[in-house]
Amino acid sequence: MSKIKPSKGAPYARILGVGGYRPTRVVPNEVILETIDSSDEWIRSRSGIATRHWANDQETVTAMSLEASGKAIADAGITPQQIGAVVVSTVSHFKQTPAVATEIADKIGTAKAAAFDISAGCAGFGYGLTLAKGMVVEGSAEYVLVIGVERLSDLTDLEDRATAFLFGDGAGAVVVGPAKEPAIGPTVWGSEGDKSETIKQTVPWTDYRDGTVDKFPAITQEGQAVFRWAVFEMAKVAQQALDAAGITADDLDVFIPHQANMRIIDSMVKTLKLPEHVTVARDVETTGNTSAASIPLAMERLLATGEAKSGDTALVIGFGAGLVYAATVVTLP
């Protein structure tokens, strides 16, 4: 018989607060058109994107994370010292080690919280949320700060007609803590590594270091392949998340998909047969694709504008490079 004492975590976990930060510079499509042969109409029709935010030298991954985290902590009504773990999802922090989460944990004033980074691309927020839920319920942390943050402008090839207009910068954060009733549903997640070439970094850092290539690495993708995968396969995953939570589309108040492309979002809404009363996040129009930051940024905007309200039931789903995905149903803070 085991001598290990059982964990003393909370019965359930929920999102208690949300915060976001968008860089001050707003970049319209006209700026993108300076380096690619395209048009504003083509960009809007293909992606739904009109503007995006690009960070300046001061708006680092750490700085943006601190801004978003401060808002989330205040929204949750706790102090930084109560945070037991910090999870940061990013692909654009350019130091292999140490994890940027350790710097953030220190600068926001935690009491030596556990801190680590994850790399799960555009599904990173869902991965982090799932880990946070586990920590709260297991008892290793009472409150967990989950951050999705990207400076994708650093990884954008402005001469690549397929991707130059897609990416933006920003940070979104949530605080996950104890709850008396279920407020974060089971996560449906996975990966399809056989499709990893459809979204990838152009070359390894070592190629650039060794002078094999002159061009700094960037993110590239096979647009049509990604579109088909997202539209047909991710709608199935979203439905599985609804089923796992024991609800139907009629029970939803809000749908917050990864903000990759307006056409993908609209297609998923149609495939899922979401009722007209469901509010759909379409933050991509003015924020672009911010990868791991897109879901918490969209969540914060919906709550701030009153399009969604505290206590609403929301389906969230992220999907991207890997190819990886994660979907769950949550109660909004």
Side-chain angles (χ1 to χ4, degrees), residues 2-247:
S2 176
K3 297 180 181 179
I4 300 174
K5 293 181 180 180
S7 301
K8 296 181 179 180
Y12 305 103
R14 68 168 294 152
I15 299 173
L16 298 172
V18 60
Y21 180 80
R22 292 172 172 82
T24 54
R25 183 188 177 192
V26 177
V27 180
N29 288 339
E30 286 73 19
V31 172
I32 307 299
L33 297 175
E34 294 174 4
T35 52
I36 61 171
D37 180 17
S38 188
S39 68
D40 178 63
E41 180 183 5
W42 187 87
I43 293 174
R44 288 174 185 257
S45 67
R46 300 289 290 183
S47 68
I49 299 172
T51 62
R52 72 284 293 148
H53 295 255
W54 283 355
N56 60 33
D57 290 344
Q58 286 71 48
E59 292 166 323
T60 63
V61 165
T62 298
M64 292 190 293
S65 296
L66 293 174
E67 291 287 343
S69 298
K71 295 176 183 177
I73 293 167
D75 192 41
I78 67 169
T79 67
Q81 291 78 18
Q82 291 176 274
I83 294 171
V86 177
V87 182
V88 177
S89 178
T90 185
V91 298
S92 47
H93 173 58
F94 292 150
K95 286 185 178 179
Q96 193 71 37
T97 192
V100 72
T102 58
E103 180 183 2
I104 294 166
D106 175 62
K107 289 188 174 179
I108 63 174
T110 69
K112 298 182 180 179
F116 58 95
D117 298 349
I118 60 174
S119 177
C122 304
F125 175 75
Y127 275 51
L129 185 64
T130 302
L131 294 173
K133 172 188 174 183
M135 283 185 265
V136 171
V137 172
E138 188 272 338
S140 59
E142 185 176 12
Y143 298 97
V144 181
L145 178 65
V146 179
I147 303 167
V149 56
E150 302 291 2
R151 273 182 56 121
L152 293 181
S153 58
D154 292 333
L155 287 168
T156 298
D157 180 355
L158 294 177
E159 297 177 349
D160 180 358
R161 190 172 184 271
T163 61
F165 57 89
L166 288 177
F167 302 119
D169 303 336
V174 299
V175 172
V176 177
K180 295 181 180 179
E181 59 183 14
I184 301 175
T187 299
V188 177
W189 58 353
S191 65
E192 298 186 32
D194 60 317
K195 300 180 180 66
S196 61
E197 291 295 302
T198 56
I199 307 175
K200 63 180 182 179
Q201 184 172 305
T202 50
V203 295
W205 300 112
T206 48
D207 284 6
Y208 184 73
R209 179 199 65 187
D210 298 340
T212 307
V213 297
D214 296 327
K215 204 168 190 177
F216 194 74
I219 297 173
T220 186
Q221 69 175 34
E222 298 174 15
Q224 287 301 314
V226 173
F227 180 85
R228 289 192 298 269
W229 175 77
V231 167
F232 296 110
E233 298 302 323
M234 291 305 97
K236 298 176 186 177
V237 171
Q239 183 60 54
Q240 290 170 15
L242 291 176
D243 296 342
I247 66 172

